[in-house]
Amino acid sequence: MGFPVEFLWGGASAANQCEGGIFEGGRGLANVDVCPSGPDRNAVIIGHRKMFQMDEEHQYPAAGGVDFYHRYREDIQLMGEMGFKVYRMSIAWTRIFPNGEEEMPNEEGIAFYEHVFQECRKYRIKPLVTISHFDCPIHLIEKYGGWRDRRMIDHYLRLCRVLFERYRDYVTHWLTFNEINMILHAPFMGAGLCFGNGENEEQVKYQAAHHELIASALAVKLAHEMNPENKVGCMFAAGAAYPYSCRPQDVWEALLTDQENYFFVDVQARGYYPSYAVKRLQKKGVYPVMDGGDEKLLREYPVDFISFSYYNSRCIAAEEQETAEGNLFKSAKNPYLKFSEWGWPIDPLGLRITLNQVYDRYQKPLFIVENGLGALDCPDADGYVSDDYRIDYLREHIRAMKAAVEEDGVDLMGYTSWAPIDLISAGTGEMKKRYGYVYVDRQEDGSGTLNRIRKKSFYWYQRVIESNGEVL
Ligand code: BG6
């Protein structure tokens, strides 16, 4: 009993939130670089305020990140010390193709990730690579309007081909798009979409999503053709939708919310548009334009496994209720739960419920590739953080995951918590919202030494991995 011996314990990060060095190594500019911190961030990430370059008025925290670009050796060494079996990381598209359209890749960018993979190998850490963690070259946004244009598929596949070929010796596990359903909630950050006045946003979002779904299917095809060892997964922002009450109207609304979320995975895992989506998108007049061969492609190349982030469950009411924050979108406040300092519900049992729901629905191996607590950490005089609150959060979630594996029979490949080393928040652009086992001395105003300091949770997680989840 317990976790299988090959269970993949580790942590997850994203290039744009940790690397920095955005003007180094021949890298080009991406949407994720120009999302400012502060009050204008939301309008930019939802595509209502166009920002295609940096200006003097705003701060752009991704520009410096936490300097993984220069400190990756130290960071991976720390992961090795914790006993990581896997490191989920992403590739900055614009390091490989600075404007997204070049014929030949940027060798300096290729070399950077090769060095990262070599460091991982030193500690026997398997990389799990997200091909696109929200990023999209600015040039492609200016020229094509991001994923609203079908030609994005070719540019994305050119990136995939280079990655599958050049990293063949290092990587066998890939994720096509991070949180693909975020296109509905953060369309500029998620897919480079900006909207004109009076434009039908839903139509643009579903058309862009269709292009991503086709790109994802073609990436599965290519990955399998180029290396039969390759396994490709999809990734979505999960979190069971609870009805606010047993009123049938609340139950119905919760079901609709779940369907909106599962739509993407239904296509990627089962290989076709589910009937509820066909009907509803057609009724709203937002059913995407498809090419003749699209349905066949989707059917022929479903993903090998399903990965997801889980931070919180959601509570859905038919009538207006007090709301709570959550991973990029709000829902009704669940009176039975406690909340993080950022107002996100804390619901470990919700992870077990989500695991069961996703496994029941797809019957494919699952991978939890994000889960964690964003909190304010207060280092003592020596810089040490006693983050018992984080340990409590993670312990309860790992217990729930263990129950899903041991008692419910869910086939789970691994767990990568978000994020092993503190980094910039995707939702708010803040540095002070920390998730790591390792504290990074970078403050909200950009000051700090960038030194890495092990927190209490570092030693705790080390024991968890060492005991394969027995000592919690
Ligand atoms: C997910 C993203 O939405 O949640 C990550 O995949 C993100 O990029 C994480 O960082 C946590 O959200 P936040 O807003 O606290 O950074």
Side-chain angles (χ1 to χ4, degrees), residues 92-119:
W93 188 336
T94 52
R95 281 202 194 286
I96 309 295
F97 287 105
N99 74 24
E101 276 202 305
E102 296 89 346
E103 280 305 313
M104 302 302 287
N106 168 31
E107 288 300 326
E108 235 182 307
I110 302 230
F112 170 66
Y113 293 109
E114 186 159 11
H115 295 149
V116 168
F117 297 142
Q118 283 164 349
E119 285 305 301

PDB file of all heavy atoms in Angstrom, residues 92-119:
ATOM      1  N   ALA A  92      10.752  29.037 -22.299  1.00  0.00           N
ATOM      2  CA  ALA A  92      10.322  30.344 -22.810  1.00  0.00           C
ATOM      3  C   ALA A  92      10.420  30.272 -24.332  1.00  0.00           C
ATOM      4  O   ALA A  92      11.517  30.165 -24.886  1.00  0.00           O
ATOM      5  CB  ALA A  92      11.213  31.452 -22.264  1.00  0.00           C
ATOM      6  N   TRP A  93       9.278  30.296 -24.967  1.00  0.00           N
ATOM      7  CA  TRP A  93       9.203  30.166 -26.431  1.00  0.00           C
ATOM      8  C   TRP A  93      10.202  31.122 -27.103  1.00  0.00           C
ATOM      9  O   TRP A  93      10.907  30.774 -28.057  1.00  0.00           O
ATOM     10  CB  TRP A  93       7.757  30.496 -26.846  1.00  0.00           C
ATOM     11  CG  TRP A  93       7.360  30.268 -28.245  1.00  0.00           C
ATOM     12  CD1 TRP A  93       8.158  30.216 -29.358  1.00  0.00           C
ATOM     13  CD2 TRP A  93       6.020  30.073 -28.723  1.00  0.00           C
ATOM     14  NE1 TRP A  93       7.395  30.007 -30.481  1.00  0.00           N
ATOM     15  CE2 TRP A  93       6.078  29.919 -30.117  1.00  0.00           C
ATOM     16  CE3 TRP A  93       4.765  30.023 -28.086  1.00  0.00           C
ATOM     17  CZ2 TRP A  93       4.931  29.719 -30.896  1.00  0.00           C
ATOM     18  CZ3 TRP A  93       3.632  29.830 -28.859  1.00  0.00           C
ATOM     19  CH2 TRP A  93       3.714  29.672 -30.259  1.00  0.00           C
ATOM     20  N   THR A  94      10.273  32.380 -26.567  1.00  0.00           N
ATOM     21  CA  THR A  94      11.093  33.404 -27.226  1.00  0.00           C
ATOM     22  C   THR A  94      12.593  33.245 -26.960  1.00  0.00           C
ATOM     23  O   THR A  94      13.388  34.030 -27.461  1.00  0.00           O
ATOM     24  CB  THR A  94      10.643  34.815 -26.800  1.00  0.00           C
ATOM     25  OG1 THR A  94      10.622  34.862 -25.375  1.00  0.00           O
ATOM     26  CG2 THR A  94       9.273  35.140 -27.351  1.00  0.00           C
ATOM     27  N   ARG A  95      12.975  32.268 -26.130  1.00  0.00           N
ATOM     28  CA  ARG A  95      14.413  31.942 -26.084  1.00  0.00           C
ATOM     29  C   ARG A  95      14.775  31.058 -27.277  1.00  0.00           C
ATOM     30  O   ARG A  95      15.892  31.059 -27.749  1.00  0.00           O
ATOM     31  CB  ARG A  95      14.769  31.175 -24.795  1.00  0.00           C
ATOM     32  CG  ARG A  95      14.903  32.055 -23.598  1.00  0.00           C
ATOM     33  CD  ARG A  95      15.741  31.438 -22.480  1.00  0.00           C
ATOM     34  NE  ARG A  95      15.531  32.216 -21.276  1.00  0.00           N
ATOM     35  CZ  ARG A  95      16.058  33.436 -21.065  1.00  0.00           C
ATOM     36  NH1 ARG A  95      16.849  33.980 -21.954  1.00  0.00           N
ATOM     37  NH2 ARG A  95      15.774  34.096 -19.961  1.00  0.00           N
ATOM     38  N   ILE A  96      13.814  30.269 -27.710  1.00  0.00           N
ATOM     39  CA  ILE A  96      14.083  29.329 -28.815  1.00  0.00           C
ATOM     40  C   ILE A  96      13.796  30.010 -30.158  1.00  0.00           C
ATOM     41  O   ILE A  96      14.597  29.919 -31.086  1.00  0.00           O
ATOM     42  CB  ILE A  96      13.203  28.050 -28.659  1.00  0.00           C
ATOM     43  CG1 ILE A  96      13.337  27.456 -27.234  1.00  0.00           C
ATOM     44  CG2 ILE A  96      13.545  27.013 -29.725  1.00  0.00           C
ATOM     45  CD1 ILE A  96      14.695  26.928 -26.864  1.00  0.00           C
ATOM     46  N   PHE A  97      12.647  30.678 -30.245  1.00  0.00           N
ATOM     47  CA  PHE A  97      12.325  31.462 -31.445  1.00  0.00           C
ATOM     48  C   PHE A  97      11.973  32.873 -30.967  1.00  0.00           C
ATOM     49  O   PHE A  97      10.826  33.121 -30.564  1.00  0.00           O
ATOM     50  CB  PHE A  97      11.149  30.841 -32.207  1.00  0.00           C
ATOM     51  CG  PHE A  97      11.505  29.579 -32.927  1.00  0.00           C
ATOM     52  CD1 PHE A  97      11.100  28.344 -32.429  1.00  0.00           C
ATOM     53  CD2 PHE A  97      12.256  29.609 -34.102  1.00  0.00           C
ATOM     54  CE1 PHE A  97      11.444  27.168 -33.094  1.00  0.00           C
ATOM     55  CE2 PHE A  97      12.599  28.437 -34.771  1.00  0.00           C
ATOM     56  CZ  PHE A  97      12.194  27.218 -34.270  1.00  0.00           C
ATOM     57  N   PRO A  98      12.932  33.791 -31.007  1.00  0.00           N
ATOM     58  CA  PRO A  98      12.728  35.119 -30.409  1.00  0.00           C
ATOM     59  C   PRO A  98      11.502  35.866 -30.939  1.00  0.00           C
ATOM     60  O   PRO A  98      10.818  36.532 -30.168  1.00  0.00           O
ATOM     61  CB  PRO A  98      14.023  35.863 -30.741  1.00  0.00           C
ATOM     62  CG  PRO A  98      15.055  34.769 -30.888  1.00  0.00           C
ATOM     63  CD  PRO A  98      14.327  33.581 -31.447  1.00  0.00           C
ATOM     64  N   ASN A  99      11.219  35.765 -32.232  1.00  0.00           N
ATOM     65  CA  ASN A  99       9.971  36.416 -32.652  1.00  0.00           C
ATOM     66  C   ASN A  99       8.896  35.393 -33.033  1.00  0.00           C
ATOM     67  O   ASN A  99       7.792  35.747 -33.382  1.00  0.00           O
ATOM     68  CB  ASN A  99      10.209  37.488 -33.737  1.00  0.00           C
ATOM     69  CG  ASN A  99      10.507  36.899 -35.109  1.00  0.00           C
ATOM     70  OD1 ASN A  99      10.128  35.768 -35.416  1.00  0.00           O
ATOM     71  ND2 ASN A  99      11.179  37.668 -35.948  1.00  0.00           N
ATOM     72  N   GLY A 100       9.232  34.127 -32.957  1.00  0.00           N
ATOM     73  CA  GLY A 100       8.240  33.077 -33.186  1.00  0.00           C
ATOM     74  C   GLY A 100       8.181  32.603 -34.622  1.00  0.00           C
ATOM     75  O   GLY A 100       7.593  31.564 -34.914  1.00  0.00           O
ATOM     76  N   GLU A 101       8.790  33.372 -35.544  1.00  0.00           N
ATOM     77  CA  GLU A 101       8.631  33.051 -36.968  1.00  0.00           C
ATOM     78  C   GLU A 101       9.922  32.662 -37.667  1.00  0.00           C
ATOM     79  O   GLU A 101       9.887  32.373 -38.865  1.00  0.00           O
ATOM     80  CB  GLU A 101       8.109  34.295 -37.707  1.00  0.00           C
ATOM     81  CG  GLU A 101       6.640  34.450 -37.637  1.00  0.00           C
ATOM     82  CD  GLU A 101       6.127  35.333 -38.773  1.00  0.00           C
ATOM     83  OE1 GLU A 101       6.597  36.471 -38.919  1.00  0.00           O
ATOM     84  OE2 GLU A 101       5.255  34.860 -39.491  1.00  0.00           O
ATOM     85  N   GLU A 102      11.037  32.726 -36.961  1.00  0.00           N
ATOM     86  CA  GLU A 102      12.307  32.433 -37.630  1.00  0.00           C
ATOM     87  C   GLU A 102      12.306  30.999 -38.159  1.00  0.00           C
ATOM     88  O   GLU A 102      11.652  30.116 -37.590  1.00  0.00           O
ATOM     89  CB  GLU A 102      13.485  32.579 -36.648  1.00  0.00           C
ATOM     90  CG  GLU A 102      13.704  33.975 -36.097  1.00  0.00           C
ATOM     91  CD  GLU A 102      12.914  34.224 -34.815  1.00  0.00           C
ATOM     92  OE1 GLU A 102      12.005  33.440 -34.486  1.00  0.00           O
ATOM     93  OE2 GLU A 102      13.201  35.237 -34.155  1.00  0.00           O
ATOM     94  N   GLU A 103      13.092  30.795 -39.188  1.00  0.00           N
ATOM     95  CA  GLU A 103      13.240  29.436 -39.716  1.00  0.00           C
ATOM     96  C   GLU A 103      14.116  28.605 -38.781  1.00  0.00           C
ATOM     97  O   GLU A 103      13.841  27.433 -38.527  1.00  0.00           O
ATOM     98  CB  GLU A 103      13.882  29.485 -41.113  1.00  0.00           C
ATOM     99  CG  GLU A 103      12.897  29.826 -42.229  1.00  0.00           C
ATOM    100  CD  GLU A 103      11.706  28.882 -42.263  1.00  0.00           C
ATOM    101  OE1 GLU A 103      11.917  27.647 -42.194  1.00  0.00           O
ATOM    102  OE2 GLU A 103      10.551  29.374 -42.333  1.00  0.00           O
ATOM    103  N   MET A 104      15.198  29.250 -38.312  1.00  0.00           N
ATOM    104  CA  MET A 104      16.163  28.524 -37.492  1.00  0.00           C
ATOM    105  C   MET A 104      16.062  28.975 -36.034  1.00  0.00           C
ATOM    106  O   MET A 104      15.909  30.159 -35.761  1.00  0.00           O
ATOM    107  CB  MET A 104      17.599  28.793 -37.986  1.00  0.00           C
ATOM    108  CG  MET A 104      17.836  28.415 -39.447  1.00  0.00           C
ATOM    109  SD  MET A 104      17.475  26.681 -39.745  1.00  0.00           S
ATOM    110  CE  MET A 104      18.875  25.950 -38.938  1.00  0.00           C
ATOM    111  N   PRO A 105      16.190  28.023 -35.104  1.00  0.00           N
ATOM    112  CA  PRO A 105      16.096  28.408 -33.693  1.00  0.00           C
ATOM    113  C   PRO A 105      17.345  29.151 -33.211  1.00  0.00           C
ATOM    114  O   PRO A 105      18.391  29.090 -33.844  1.00  0.00           O
ATOM    115  CB  PRO A 105      15.980  27.063 -32.979  1.00  0.00           C
ATOM    116  CG  PRO A 105      16.611  26.070 -33.894  1.00  0.00           C
ATOM    117  CD  PRO A 105      16.385  26.571 -35.287  1.00  0.00           C
ATOM    118  N   ASN A 106      17.203  29.797 -32.073  1.00  0.00           N
ATOM    119  CA  ASN A 106      18.294  30.541 -31.444  1.00  0.00           C
ATOM    120  C   ASN A 106      19.153  29.569 -30.627  1.00  0.00           C
ATOM    121  O   ASN A 106      18.693  29.055 -29.596  1.00  0.00           O
ATOM    122  CB  ASN A 106      17.652  31.624 -30.558  1.00  0.00           C
ATOM    123  CG  ASN A 106      18.636  32.285 -29.631  1.00  0.00           C
ATOM    124  OD1 ASN A 106      19.817  32.421 -29.953  1.00  0.00           O
ATOM    125  ND2 ASN A 106      18.153  32.693 -28.463  1.00  0.00           N
ATOM    126  N   GLU A 107      20.346  29.319 -31.074  1.00  0.00           N
ATOM    127  CA  GLU A 107      21.194  28.290 -30.442  1.00  0.00           C
ATOM    128  C   GLU A 107      21.492  28.608 -28.971  1.00  0.00           C
ATOM    129  O   GLU A 107      21.639  27.704 -28.154  1.00  0.00           O
ATOM    130  CB  GLU A 107      22.502  28.116 -31.218  1.00  0.00           C
ATOM    131  CG  GLU A 107      22.326  27.408 -32.554  1.00  0.00           C
ATOM    132  CD  GLU A 107      21.740  25.991 -32.426  1.00  0.00           C
ATOM    133  OE1 GLU A 107      22.016  25.285 -31.443  1.00  0.00           O
ATOM    134  OE2 GLU A 107      20.971  25.605 -33.343  1.00  0.00           O
ATOM    135  N   GLU A 108      21.576  29.889 -28.653  1.00  0.00           N
ATOM    136  CA  GLU A 108      21.874  30.244 -27.261  1.00  0.00           C
ATOM    137  C   GLU A 108      20.730  29.816 -26.326  1.00  0.00           C
ATOM    138  O   GLU A 108      20.961  29.355 -25.213  1.00  0.00           O
ATOM    139  CB  GLU A 108      22.057  31.758 -27.174  1.00  0.00           C
ATOM    140  CG  GLU A 108      23.393  32.138 -26.565  1.00  0.00           C
ATOM    141  CD  GLU A 108      23.528  33.645 -26.441  1.00  0.00           C
ATOM    142  OE1 GLU A 108      23.333  34.357 -27.451  1.00  0.00           O
ATOM    143  OE2 GLU A 108      23.828  34.095 -25.306  1.00  0.00           O
ATOM    144  N   GLY A 109      19.541  29.976 -26.827  1.00  0.00           N
ATOM    145  CA  GLY A 109      18.367  29.558 -26.042  1.00  0.00           C
ATOM    146  C   GLY A 109      18.333  28.043 -25.893  1.00  0.00           C
ATOM    147  O   GLY A 109      18.046  27.500 -24.819  1.00  0.00           O
ATOM    148  N   ILE A 110      18.636  27.344 -26.978  1.00  0.00           N
ATOM    149  CA  ILE A 110      18.637  25.874 -26.931  1.00  0.00           C
ATOM    150  C   ILE A 110      19.670  25.402 -25.904  1.00  0.00           C
ATOM    151  O   ILE A 110      19.413  24.500 -25.114  1.00  0.00           O
ATOM    152  CB  ILE A 110      19.010  25.299 -28.315  1.00  0.00           C
ATOM    153  CG1 ILE A 110      18.007  25.813 -29.331  1.00  0.00           C
ATOM    154  CG2 ILE A 110      19.122  23.778 -28.263  1.00  0.00           C
ATOM    155  CD1 ILE A 110      17.391  24.824 -30.211  1.00  0.00           C
ATOM    156  N   ALA A 111      20.849  26.066 -25.946  1.00  0.00           N
ATOM    157  CA  ALA A 111      21.926  25.653 -25.038  1.00  0.00           C
ATOM    158  C   ALA A 111      21.522  25.874 -23.576  1.00  0.00           C
ATOM    159  O   ALA A 111      21.824  25.058 -22.701  1.00  0.00           O
ATOM    160  CB  ALA A 111      23.200  26.426 -25.364  1.00  0.00           C
ATOM    161  N   PHE A 112      20.798  26.970 -23.326  1.00  0.00           N
ATOM    162  CA  PHE A 112      20.408  27.251 -21.939  1.00  0.00           C
ATOM    163  C   PHE A 112      19.613  26.078 -21.348  1.00  0.00           C
ATOM    164  O   PHE A 112      19.936  25.556 -20.281  1.00  0.00           O
ATOM    165  CB  PHE A 112      19.587  28.550 -21.850  1.00  0.00           C
ATOM    166  CG  PHE A 112      18.973  28.750 -20.490  1.00  0.00           C
ATOM    167  CD1 PHE A 112      19.770  28.970 -19.375  1.00  0.00           C
ATOM    168  CD2 PHE A 112      17.594  28.660 -20.302  1.00  0.00           C
ATOM    169  CE1 PHE A 112      19.218  29.114 -18.098  1.00  0.00           C
ATOM    170  CE2 PHE A 112      17.030  28.802 -19.034  1.00  0.00           C
ATOM    171  CZ  PHE A 112      17.847  29.033 -17.938  1.00  0.00           C
ATOM    172  N   TYR A 113      18.594  25.632 -22.068  1.00  0.00           N
ATOM    173  CA  TYR A 113      17.783  24.536 -21.501  1.00  0.00           C
ATOM    174  C   TYR A 113      18.537  23.214 -21.490  1.00  0.00           C
ATOM    175  O   TYR A 113      18.323  22.381 -20.610  1.00  0.00           O
ATOM    176  CB  TYR A 113      16.438  24.426 -22.240  1.00  0.00           C
ATOM    177  CG  TYR A 113      15.574  25.636 -21.967  1.00  0.00           C
ATOM    178  CD1 TYR A 113      15.326  26.577 -22.952  1.00  0.00           C
ATOM    179  CD2 TYR A 113      15.073  25.881 -20.693  1.00  0.00           C
ATOM    180  CE1 TYR A 113      14.575  27.722 -22.686  1.00  0.00           C
ATOM    181  CE2 TYR A 113      14.324  27.018 -20.414  1.00  0.00           C
ATOM    182  CZ  TYR A 113      14.083  27.929 -21.420  1.00  0.00           C
ATOM    183  OH  TYR A 113      13.351  29.063 -21.137  1.00  0.00           O
ATOM    184  N   GLU A 114      19.450  23.070 -22.409  1.00  0.00           N
ATOM    185  CA  GLU A 114      20.254  21.848 -22.383  1.00  0.00           C
ATOM    186  C   GLU A 114      21.072  21.811 -21.086  1.00  0.00           C
ATOM    187  O   GLU A 114      21.168  20.772 -20.424  1.00  0.00           O
ATOM    188  CB  GLU A 114      21.163  21.790 -23.605  1.00  0.00           C
ATOM    189  CG  GLU A 114      21.900  20.479 -23.665  1.00  0.00           C
ATOM    190  CD  GLU A 114      22.418  20.138 -25.048  1.00  0.00           C
ATOM    191  OE1 GLU A 114      22.390  21.005 -25.932  1.00  0.00           O
ATOM    192  OE2 GLU A 114      22.854  18.983 -25.207  1.00  0.00           O
ATOM    193  N   HIS A 115      21.603  22.976 -20.719  1.00  0.00           N
ATOM    194  CA  HIS A 115      22.361  23.031 -19.457  1.00  0.00           C
ATOM    195  C   HIS A 115      21.457  22.742 -18.258  1.00  0.00           C
ATOM    196  O   HIS A 115      21.843  22.063 -17.314  1.00  0.00           O
ATOM    197  CB  HIS A 115      23.035  24.397 -19.296  1.00  0.00           C
ATOM    198  CG  HIS A 115      24.089  24.640 -20.341  1.00  0.00           C
ATOM    199  ND1 HIS A 115      24.398  25.891 -20.831  1.00  0.00           N
ATOM    200  CD2 HIS A 115      24.889  23.772 -21.017  1.00  0.00           C
ATOM    201  CE1 HIS A 115      25.334  25.776 -21.760  1.00  0.00           C
ATOM    202  NE2 HIS A 115      25.652  24.508 -21.884  1.00  0.00           N
ATOM    203  N   VAL A 116      20.247  23.265 -18.328  1.00  0.00           N
ATOM    204  CA  VAL A 116      19.289  23.013 -17.233  1.00  0.00           C
ATOM    205  C   VAL A 116      19.036  21.498 -17.129  1.00  0.00           C
ATOM    206  O   VAL A 116      19.078  20.913 -16.037  1.00  0.00           O
ATOM    207  CB  VAL A 116      17.962  23.792 -17.476  1.00  0.00           C
ATOM    208  CG1 VAL A 116      16.875  23.322 -16.524  1.00  0.00           C
ATOM    209  CG2 VAL A 116      18.192  25.282 -17.335  1.00  0.00           C
ATOM    210  N   PHE A 117      18.822  20.853 -18.260  1.00  0.00           N
ATOM    211  CA  PHE A 117      18.539  19.408 -18.246  1.00  0.00           C
ATOM    212  C   PHE A 117      19.767  18.619 -17.762  1.00  0.00           C
ATOM    213  O   PHE A 117      19.628  17.607 -17.072  1.00  0.00           O
ATOM    214  CB  PHE A 117      18.113  18.911 -19.634  1.00  0.00           C
ATOM    215  CG  PHE A 117      16.835  19.540 -20.125  1.00  0.00           C
ATOM    216  CD1 PHE A 117      16.673  19.883 -21.470  1.00  0.00           C
ATOM    217  CD2 PHE A 117      15.783  19.798 -19.249  1.00  0.00           C
ATOM    218  CE1 PHE A 117      15.496  20.460 -21.920  1.00  0.00           C
ATOM    219  CE2 PHE A 117      14.605  20.382 -19.697  1.00  0.00           C
ATOM    220  CZ  PHE A 117      14.462  20.722 -21.037  1.00  0.00           C
ATOM    221  N   GLN A 118      20.935  19.110 -18.109  1.00  0.00           N
ATOM    222  CA  GLN A 118      22.151  18.411 -17.651  1.00  0.00           C
ATOM    223  C   GLN A 118      22.277  18.494 -16.130  1.00  0.00           C
ATOM    224  O   GLN A 118      22.650  17.528 -15.475  1.00  0.00           O
ATOM    225  CB  GLN A 118      23.399  19.013 -18.313  1.00  0.00           C
ATOM    226  CG  GLN A 118      23.547  18.545 -19.754  1.00  0.00           C
ATOM    227  CD  GLN A 118      24.511  19.398 -20.570  1.00  0.00           C
ATOM    228  OE1 GLN A 118      24.943  20.462 -20.146  1.00  0.00           O
ATOM    229  NE2 GLN A 118      24.829  18.923 -21.767  1.00  0.00           N
ATOM    230  N   GLU A 119      21.913  19.659 -15.589  1.00  0.00           N
ATOM    231  CA  GLU A 119      21.946  19.795 -14.124  1.00  0.00           C
ATOM    232  C   GLU A 119      20.940  18.832 -13.496  1.00  0.00           C
ATOM    233  O   GLU A 119      21.230  18.174 -12.503  1.00  0.00           O
ATOM    234  CB  GLU A 119      21.598  21.227 -13.693  1.00  0.00           C
ATOM    235  CG  GLU A 119      22.683  22.239 -13.899  1.00  0.00           C
ATOM    236  CD  GLU A 119      24.006  21.872 -13.232  1.00  0.00           C
ATOM    237  OE1 GLU A 119      24.057  21.696 -11.998  1.00  0.00           O
ATOM    238  OE2 GLU A 119      25.001  21.766 -13.962  1.00  0.00           O
TER     239      GLU A 119
END
